[in-house]
Amino acid sequence: MSTNATPRGCGPEVDSLYYNLCDLNVVWGIVLEAFAAAGIVFSVVLSISLLASLPFIQDKNRRSSVVLQAFFVVFTAGLFCLTFAFIVGKDFSTCASRRFLFGVLFGGCFACLLMQCVRLNFLARRDSGPRAWVLCLAALGLWLVEVVINTEWLIITVVRHPQGPLNATAETGRATATPCNVANEDFVMALIYVMTLILAVVVASLAIMAGKHNQWKKEGAFILLISLVSVGIWVAWIVMYVYGNQRTGGPTWDDPTLAIALVVNAWTFIILYSIPDICTLTSFEETEQTFGEDLYPNRGVGYETILKEQSSQNMFMENKAFSMDEPKQGSKPVSPYSGYTGQLRGAVYQPTELALISKAVGNHPPEVSFDMAIPRASTHSATDSGSSTPSTHGKAGSAAHAQTNGNSGNGLHRTSQW
């Protein structure tokens, strides 16, 4: 190949098959190449982040979605890689990968999304989802159906009934009797199963919103959003690929149309689903950890730790029992709930040595008071003035005698002074 025929931006040693990767006159190839390469790097970073957060996820309902999410990111990275097959030129290997992997990779993505919808439907209604291996086997079964369909279609159209060049831009000898020689309508018809999976994801994500557990509806909303956006992207590229290209740019627009559809849909998967799902997963675990630390700030060993694990009602009953054993201070009653403020108490009251000593002292019988009542003479009316003094003496003597008899049980005898 002469130097003059080499496009601007490509070296003389570059094969003509890869001109779209470096030709400055064909800007769409360079732009899509950059976005696809960035998508591959971002998908790898997301996969590493997802696998690194797996040991820190304690909720089994959250852990069951990690495997499906990892497979979803892998299939999305495959979509970015497949974009290069549509940027470069056509030969047997690139055309075979286009026709086979386009439906297989999209089928894997939407199969994972459909199983996520099934899991969220169980969680939104029962707050308990199926096991992770059940979801993975179901997603694998749905994906294998598309693999079988594309394999059979590729064998029939290439091996048994090869066609002549249908694309006007195909080079003679290189694109003859290759998988590229297929009509655009046939390429779209081979993706009917993938379109069925997309519609199933839309219906299943709508069913999540009818559940009674609201904490799972957020993930369902992300899946519903990504499914609706995917429907719009697929309608746009199918209309352009089947009808628009024949009326505007002809077959030269076929490869850019499919490449743009791959890059846009893959980045939509990453931005609208993968990133929010991973953020929701990590934020949920941080909330659980913070809540646990606030509820039990001190992790001691002993009777205090055991009481913290009980209900608040039982804990307050224990506090009441300790308070009833305390000695009463004077004649003023002390309520066992006087220190209750309506909040969880940081520690449970335990009697100290001083309280035990006071309790022991308080158990002895109280000393008897021997205060003497000194009688006072009272002034009576004029009719009793003559007998006021003897009457006072008699009452005082009776009071002293009664007091002496009242204390006779303790062995104390006193003699009246009157």
Side-chain angles (χ1 to χ4, degrees):
M1 183 178 297
S2 61
T3 308
N4 296 331
T6 304
R8 186 168 60 93
C10 299
E13 68 280 358
V14 178
D15 190 3
S16 61
L17 188 67
Y18 307 103
Y19 278 169
N20 290 334
L21 297 176
C22 57
D23 189 1
L24 297 180
N25 297 323
V26 185
V27 182
W28 68 269
I30 299 176
V31 173
L32 290 179
E33 177 187 359
F35 276 101
I40 294 173
V41 175
F42 208 83
S43 299
V44 173
V45 173
L46 283 179
S47 301
I48 296 175
S49 303
L50 190 64
L51 295 178
S53 63
L54 183 60
F56 303 98
I57 303 174
Q58 303 299 330
D59 189 5
K60 62 179 182 179
N61 294 327
R62 299 278 178 176
R63 291 174 65 92
S64 62
S65 66
V66 174
V67 181
L68 287 176
Q69 181 65 30
F71 281 122
F72 180 82
V73 175
V74 171
F75 284 121
T76 304
L79 293 177
F80 286 119
C81 295
L82 184 61
T83 307
F84 292 94
F86 288 93
I87 297 176
V88 301
K90 296 178 180 179
D91 61 356
F92 185 88
S93 59
T94 57
C95 290
S97 61
R98 291 179 182 185
R99 293 181 59 181
F100 181 76
L101 294 178
F102 193 92
V104 168
L105 293 175
F106 271 114
C109 291
F110 289 109
C112 293
L113 286 178
L114 184 57
M115 286 301 101
Q116 291 280 22
C117 292
V118 172
R119 181 184 70 90
L120 292 174
N121 273 287
F122 275 96
L123 292 173
R125 287 165 173 78
R126 303 179 183 178
D127 202 18
S128 176
R131 297 180 181 273
W133 63 270
V134 177
L135 297 173
C136 292
L137 286 180
L140 179 63
L142 294 174
W143 176 67
L144 288 178
V145 173
E146 177 62 22
V147 173
V148 172
I149 292 174
N150 277 15
T151 303
E152 182 181 3
W153 181 67
L154 188 64
I155 292 174
I156 291 175
T157 55
V158 173
V159 178
R160 298 188 60 182
H161 303 286
Q163 299 177 356
L166 298 176
N167 195 336
T169 61
E171 297 181 6
T172 305
R174 172 171 284 185
T176 303
T178 62
C180 293
N181 302 322
V182 60
N184 295 353
E185 293 81 0
D186 295 337
F187 183 82
V188 175
M189 290 297 292
L191 301 173
I192 290 180
Y193 180 74
V194 180
M195 300 177 195
T196 305
L197 289 179
I198 297 176
L199 295 179
V201 172
V202 174
V203 175
S205 58
L206 285 174
I208 298 174
M209 302 305 166
K212 59 182 179 179
H213 297 281
N214 296 326
Q215 67 269 23
W216 305 107
K217 293 183 180 180
K218 184 178 181 180
E219 297 183 32
F222 286 124
I223 297 180
L224 177 60
L225 177 62
I226 190 62
S227 61
L228 293 177
V229 174
S230 298
V231 169
I233 294 174
W234 275 63
V235 170
W237 78 258
I238 288 175
V239 172
M240 187 67 183
Y241 187 67
V242 175
Y243 301 104
N245 292 345
Q246 298 178 359
R247 298 182 179 181
T248 55
T252 56
W253 287 84
D254 291 345
D255 292 347
T257 300
L258 296 177
I260 291 173
L262 283 170
V263 172
V264 172
N265 213 158
W267 270 110
T268 304
F269 286 154
I270 293 294
I271 296 175
L272 297 183
Y273 178 69
S274 296
I275 295 178
D277 188 69
I278 295 177
C279 294
T280 303
L281 191 67
T282 54
S283 63
F284 177 80
E285 294 299 325
E286 292 177 359
T287 305
E288 287 288 329
Q289 185 178 2
T290 306
F291 178 75
E293 291 177 356
D294 293 341
L295 185 59
Y296 300 115
N298 298 324
R299 292 290 180 181
V301 179
Y303 187 71
E304 179 180 355
T305 306
I306 297 174
L307 287 181
K308 284 180 179 180
E309 297 177 357
Q310 299 177 357
S311 62
S312 60
Q313 181 178 1
N314 295 335
M315 183 170 61
F316 291 139
M317 291 299 295
E318 293 290 338
N319 293 342
K320 180 180 179 180
F322 279 114
S323 301
M324 292 297 291
D325 292 338
E326 296 180 2
K328 294 183 178 181
Q329 302 295 331
S331 59
K332 182 179 180 181
V334 179
S335 173
Y337 298 97
S338 59
Y340 174 63
T341 60
Q343 301 177 354
L344 293 177
R345 301 178 62 181
V348 179
Y349 173 76
Q350 296 182 2
T352 59
E353 290 85 353
L354 182 60
L356 293 175
I357 295 174
S358 302
K359 177 181 177 182
V361 174
N363 289 334
H364 292 289
E367 296 181 359
V368 181
S369 177
F370 297 99
D371 297 338
M372 295 179 62
I374 301 176
R376 297 180 179 272
S378 59
T379 305
H380 296 279
S381 60
T383 55
D384 297 335
S385 59
S387 59
S388 60
T389 302
S391 175
T392 302
H393 287 196
K395 291 181 181 179
S398 299
H401 181 69
Q403 185 176 6
T404 303
N405 293 337
N407 296 329
S408 61
N410 296 329
L412 301 176
H413 301 276
R414 299 180 57 202
T415 305
S416 176
Q417 300 297 327
W418 294 95

